[in-house]
Amino acid sequence: MSTRTEDGSRKARVVVIATGGTIASSSKPGGPAVARRTAAQLLGSTGYGDVEVEGRDLFNLGSYLLGHRELRLIAEAVAAEIARDDVTGVVVTHGTDTMEETAFLLDLVHGSDKPVVLTGAQRAADQPDSDGPRNLREAVAVAASPEARGCGVLISFAGRIFAARRTRKHHTVAAQPFRTLDGGPIGRVDPTGVRVTARPVRPAPLDPPGPRFDDTRVDVVTVHPGADAALARAAVRAGARAVVLAGTGVGNANHALLKWVTEAVAAGTVVGLSTRVAEGPVVPTYGNGGGVDLVRAGALSVGGLPVYQARVLLALLIAAGAPVTEQALAAHV
C-alpha cells in the first residue's frame, strides 16, 4: 500500500526495472567493466524525496548483448508494473548502446498515460564521477511527475528528457549522448523540478511483442560506393524477413541494389528504405538507381526514423502478422 504525504495525498510510487548496462557496471582490478549491480544496489546509492521506489531485477547485461527476446521481456515487465493501480510510473535502467531500440519498442506498444522512463550512465558505477546516481534520481522524478503523464516512453539523461521516437545515441562517451533527429529534448530536470515543454504526438499503440518476435530477423545493409547486393542476398538466405537499406543521401542506392530490391520484393521480402545520414528524412528524388527507382521497385520508406528504430518497427509488425505497408509505417515514423 502506498503511504501518504503530509497534506494527505497519496505518495507517488515508481518501480525501477534493472536490466544492466554501464549504470550497473564495475570492474575487478585489471579487468574490464561488467554489469554486476542489482536494483537494490542502484537504489541504495541515492535518495528520492517523497517518491516511494521499489526495485525489480530483470537481468544484468550490457545492452550490446540484448536480442529480441530480452526486448520482449522488458516490454512484458514494464506492462506488468504499469498495470498495477498503486504504480505511478516505471523506470528502466539500461545500457546506452541499444537504449534507442528498447525505448522505441516500448513506446510502440505503450497505451497508458503512466510515464515509462529509460536511463543509464556513461561512466561505470565504481568510477568516482559516475553519472548513474544522478541520472537514476532524475529518471525517478520524471516517472513520478504529473508533467510526464501522457508523454509515452521517455529517455531521461543528464538533465534532459527526450521522447523515445527518433531519439538515438549520437556520441559514444559524452555525458549527454542522446539526440532527437530533427528535434530536441522535450523537457528537463533541474533543481526546480521536472519541466515538460513539448508533448509528443503519439499514434495508437501496436500489440505487444509475442514469442514470435524473438526470432523475427530484420537486417540492415548500408549503401556505400561500390556496394553490391551480396550482403542483402546473404541476409535473406540467413532468414531475414525484411532488410532495411541505409541508403546514401535522401535514400539512394545503385543499379545492383535496385535489381535486388525488385527481385526481393517479388519474392515476399520486405525492404525498408532509410538513410545512413544522421539528420533528415528520406525523400525519393533521383532515378538511375536512386530513391525514386527503389520505391517504384517496392521499397518502403522508413526514413523518418533512425535506421535501427526502423528495423524494430518492421520486426514488430512482421512478428504480429500485421500488414507492412507505407501507410502502416508512416503512422509510426
Side-chain angles (χ1 to χ4, degrees), residues 11-28:
K11 283 187 176 181
R13 178 182 289 271
V14 171
V15 177
V16 175
I17 299 172
T19 71
T22 300
I23 193 171
S25 294
S26 59
S27 50
K28 295 180 179 179

Side-chain angles (χ1 to χ4, degrees), residues 1-5 9-16 43 48-55 84 86-89 140 143-144:
M1 294 289 293
S2 295
T3 57
R4 300 198 173 262
T5 61
S9 60
R10 193 174 74 175
K11 283 187 176 181
R13 178 182 289 271
V14 171
V15 177
V16 175
L43 292 171
Y48 303 96
D50 286 335
V51 181
E52 293 184 336
V53 182
E54 61 180 81
R84 290 170 48 185
D86 63 332
V87 169
T88 307
V140 167

Side-chain angles (χ1 to χ4, degrees), residues 149-175:
R149 285 188 66 85
C151 289
V153 178
L154 306 169
I155 293 174
S156 176
F157 219 97
R160 295 179 183 175
I161 305 167
F162 299 86
R165 196 176 307 263
R166 293 192 294 275
T167 294
R168 58 170 295 187
K169 186 172 183 178
H170 79 99
H171 198 287
T172 55
V173 296

Side-chain angles (χ1 to χ4, degrees), residues 31-53:
V34 176
R36 294 187 174 93
R37 299 197 177 187
T38 65
Q41 289 172 316
L42 295 177
L43 292 171
S45 63
T46 188
Y48 303 96
D50 286 335
V51 181
E52 293 184 336
V53 182

